[in-house]
Amino acid sequence: MGTPEFPNGFESWQKTHFEVVEVLCYIRSLEEGKQPKSFSEMLDQSATDEMYKLALNLTNKFEEETKGRKRERFLFDEIEDFVWNEVRNMQHK
């Protein structure tokens, strides 16, 4: 896993990471709703190493790309659009 460099400071990175995880959990819940699951599978909502790495990498990428940029919208809205675009790009590769 890449070590965060906090280009916008730790507080900004921490907020971004929280919001990235929120969006990834939301996307996962949408995808899981399309497939039947057993009760035990529904209870296990823990993340995998791949999800941890994805959240870290997306957080670092967003922070680097927005370094010094003034926000024009709510942080969550910017991150939600960013994460959706990144996930779609990964699916098309």
Side-chain angles (χ1 to χ4, degrees):
M1 266 187 243
T3 303
E5 294 186 24
F6 311 121
N8 302 309
F10 176 76
E11 186 175 337
S12 176
W13 187 93
Q14 186 271 334
K15 288 177 182 177
T16 297
H17 186 68
F18 179 86
E19 300 298 353
V20 165
V21 171
E22 286 284 308
V23 176
L24 288 174
C25 289
Y26 175 69
I27 292 171
R28 179 175 66 176
S29 72
L30 291 177
E31 290 300 312
E32 286 178 345
K34 296 178 185 177
Q35 301 172 12
K37 300 277 185 203
S38 70
F39 183 71
S40 61
E41 288 174 317
M42 286 189 277
L43 287 178
D44 182 18
Q45 291 293 311
S46 60
T48 62
D49 282 341
E50 290 79 22
M51 286 291 282
Y52 292 137
K53 289 175 188 174
L54 178 60
L56 179 63
N57 291 336
L58 290 176
T59 300
N60 290 341
K61 185 173 182 178
F62 181 86
E63 283 289 293
E64 189 61 43
E65 288 182 6
T66 60
K67 183 178 178 178
R69 191 175 86 199
K70 186 177 187 310
R71 294 211 194 292
E72 297 178 12
R73 302 182 303 154
F74 291 111
L75 178 63
F76 180 81
D77 294 335
E78 288 186 15
I79 292 172
E80 183 178 30
D81 289 346
F82 171 81
V83 171
W84 273 107
N85 287 333
E86 291 294 317
V87 168
R88 284 184 192 114
N89 288 338
M90 287 189 301
Q91 292 173 341
H92 294 324
K93 289 183 179 182

